[in-house]
Amino acid sequence: EAANLKNPIAQLPLVRVEKSPDFDDDIWNRAADLGGFVKVSKADRNQVPGSKTEIKMFHDSDRIHLRLRCFDAAIKERKKITPPTGAKEFIPGSDHVEIYFSDPLEDGAYYLFTISPDDLTSDLKGYDSNWNGEWSHKVRETADGYDIVFSLPLKTINAKNAKGNDLKFLVIREIWKHGDVKRENTSWGGGGWHQFATFGDV
């Protein structure tokens, strides 16, 4: 149903864990399945994406855990980029995902975490590249794409408080042309880059 909503909504189950989960842990069977991604462009919204993306999420009362499965049969032919020397925050002009979370204590404020299949990462508050937060992740290439596991302490985004139960959230996947894969931008619910009003609710 999320694909048909302007602003999708998902309830994340509470699942107790001792440590951040790995890619194939059984714990993901108890996570919320947020459904498939749709194309960001409104003109293409009803078209089936060329590359499938799956997302599962849960929380353990202290952290939010997310697993992305990014399918791409030509992943080995992707453009690989080396960050420029001295780059503080670097979002590559190649395949990557962008994960957005709101700050429940500051109206309109949000945080951005980016991860590429080559493990290039960045974190920002809005467009502020000087911000750095506590979070962890793992990336692995698979035979048909790549997977990401992401864990975020709620305190990092000021959500460890009585007002932090409801969060604005979005994941965007950028797929750049490589092999026989066409360039494509998809997201959960069709939300757009840095467009707070288009984020979903978790």
Side-chain angles (χ1 to χ4, degrees), residues 2 10 12 28 31-37 52-58 65-71 98-99 101 148 150 169-172 187-189 202:
L12 306 185
W28 294 112
D33 186 341
L34 273 61
F37 280 34
K52 183 180 177 182
T53 309
E54 296 177 349
I55 179 172
K56 287 196 170 187
M57 293 178 68
F58 70 92
H65 303 281
L66 176 157
R67 185 185 72 184
L68 279 166
R69 287 197 159 158
C70 303
F71 294 89
E98 302 188 5
I99 303 169
F101 279 100
I148 292 172
F150 170 88
F169 165 75
L170 180 68
V171 176
I172 295 178
S187 69
W188 183 55
V202 296

Side-chain angles (χ1 to χ4, degrees), residues 38-197:
V38 298
K39 294 190 176 185
V40 173
S41 170
K42 289 183 179 180
D44 300 329
R45 190 67 48 80
N46 294 324
Q47 296 180 14
V48 177
S51 297
K52 183 180 177 182
T53 309
E54 296 177 349
I55 179 172
K56 287 196 170 187
M57 293 178 68
F58 70 92
H59 75 97
D60 62 14
S61 81
D62 291 316
R63 297 167 295 172
I64 289 177
H65 303 281
L66 176 157
R67 185 185 72 184
L68 279 166
R69 287 197 159 158
C70 303
F71 294 89
D72 181 350
I75 190 63
K76 295 186 183 301
E77 299 176 55
R78 69 188 179 279
K79 181 181 180 181
K80 297 184 179 181
I81 292 179
T82 301
T85 302
K88 188 171 183 181
E89 300 286 356
F90 180 72
I91 302 175
S94 60
D95 292 58
H96 69 276
V97 299
E98 302 188 5
I99 303 169
Y100 295 83
F101 279 100
S102 66
D103 185 323
L105 298 184
E106 187 177 345
D107 289 344
Y110 62 90
Y111 302 90
L112 167 61
F113 307 87
T114 74
I115 307 170
S116 80
D118 298 308
D119 205 16
L120 300 177
T121 65
S122 66
D123 56 3
L124 304 88
K125 183 175 182 181
Y127 290 97
D128 181 5
S129 61
N130 291 317
W131 181 85
N132 291 288
E134 179 188 350
W135 56 290
S136 61
H137 75 286
K138 298 177 183 178
V139 184
R140 71 173 180 186
E141 187 174 313
T142 65
D144 56 359
Y146 66 99
D147 297 341
I148 292 172
V149 169
F150 170 88
S151 294
L152 177 68
L154 292 171
K155 65 181 181 180
T156 296
I157 58 171
N158 295 323
K160 190 64 176 173
N161 62 78
K163 297 182 179 180
N165 292 328
D166 298 315
L167 298 171
K168 294 292 185 180
F169 165 75
L170 180 68
V171 176
I172 295 178
R173 178 183 174 192
E174 291 195 15
I175 304 160
W176 290 60
K177 180 175 173 57
H178 53 265
D180 57 357
V181 175
K182 295 181 179 179
R183 183 168 179 179
E184 181 176 72
N185 299 314
T186 58
S187 69
W188 183 55
W193 299 265
H194 296 274
Q195 297 179 32
F196 189 83

